[in-house]
Structure formats: C-alpha cells, structure tokens
Amino acid sequence: MTVTSVAYENDDDYVVLPAYADYSTKQYYAMYLYTDGRARICAANADALGVLIDKPDAPDVECRIKVRGVVKGILGYAVSAGNAIATRSDGTFGPQSSTNPKIGVAHRAGASGDVIPILLGVACETQT
C-alpha cells in the first residue's frame, strides 16, 4: 500500500492519515506529520499535529488524530490543572517549557502515566 492510496479526511476536529508504524499501544500520544506524509509519534521539541485517538496496528493503516478541542492525553510528567502542556521525548505530555512548543492546556491535574483531558489548539494562540 502506498501512502497516496490512503484516504485523507478532515472534519475540523481530527485528520485521518496513514500511520508510520504499529501504534496499537500508543493511543492518546502526541503525533506529528512526518516528511513522507505519515503520522509519527512526537519527540520533545516537535511541533505536534495532535493526539492519536485510535490504535493503528501496522504501518500505513489509517489513524485518526485529534487536532482541536478536548482530547485525552497520556502524561509523561505530573501537571496541574491549567498548566500549559507540551510533548515530551516519547510522545507523552508534560508541562510546557521554553524548549517545547505548547500544544494545549491541562483540564485537570495528573501524574506520570495518567490519562487526562487536554484542550488542544485554542490555548496555543498568541494572546495580545
């Protein structure tokens, strides 16, 4: 299967892209758009596209990525409600720092390994 044969969809809240690898254990992880047009797990300092909301089990399988609104995200570090959230080195989320771009805001507090609601997109816009 070639990447170009996969359907691309957009309903303003999520996009459908081919997965780069088997991400069946990576639901609720941050994803970015790789140079070959497939969705890949984010690393620290990467500009996240959104959050994986399903479980693609092989390369080139379609996966849905939530790009705006409220979504579940898995934490790699503890956060407090209202913290700015960024991706970490393994695709999980943690507090935003000066080197990690903000992806959203935590809706509640959580510890490493917790799945919490995160508000994507809107909170990332520059306020004047």
Side-chain angles (χ1 to χ4, degrees):
M1 171 194 238
T2 63
V3 172
T4 56
S5 69
V6 176
Y8 292 80
E9 300 173 13
N10 183 347
D11 77 351
D12 292 335
D13 286 337
Y14 72 92
V15 296
V16 177
L17 295 170
Y20 181 81
D22 175 351
Y23 294 133
S24 57
T25 62
K26 300 297 184 183
Q27 186 178 34
Y28 308 134
Y29 280 65
M31 304 295 285
Y32 76 101
L33 184 60
Y34 192 56
T35 57
D36 66 1
R38 295 186 286 178
R40 195 169 185 178
I41 295 289
C42 268
N45 304 324
D47 285 325
L49 176 64
V51 179
L52 183 64
I53 57 176
D54 55 10
K55 300 177 181 182
D57 59 1
D60 296 320
V61 170
E62 290 182 0
C63 62
R64 292 182 347 143
I65 301 166
K66 183 87 166 170
V67 294
R68 121 169 83 201
V70 178
V71 66
K72 293 177 183 178
I74 189 159
L75 296 176
Y77 293 86
V79 299
S80 298
N83 277 162
I85 297 293
T87 62
R88 308 320 275 175
S89 61
D90 60 357
T92 60
F93 299 94
Q96 192 258 341
S97 68
S98 61
T99 59
N100 294 40
K102 181 175 22 170
I103 187 173
V105 174
H107 269 227
R108 68 163 213 228
S112 181
D114 287 350
V115 175
I116 67 162
I118 297 171
L119 173 62
L120 297 175
V122 176
C124 298
E125 296 174 5
T126 303
Q127 300 295 318
T128 56

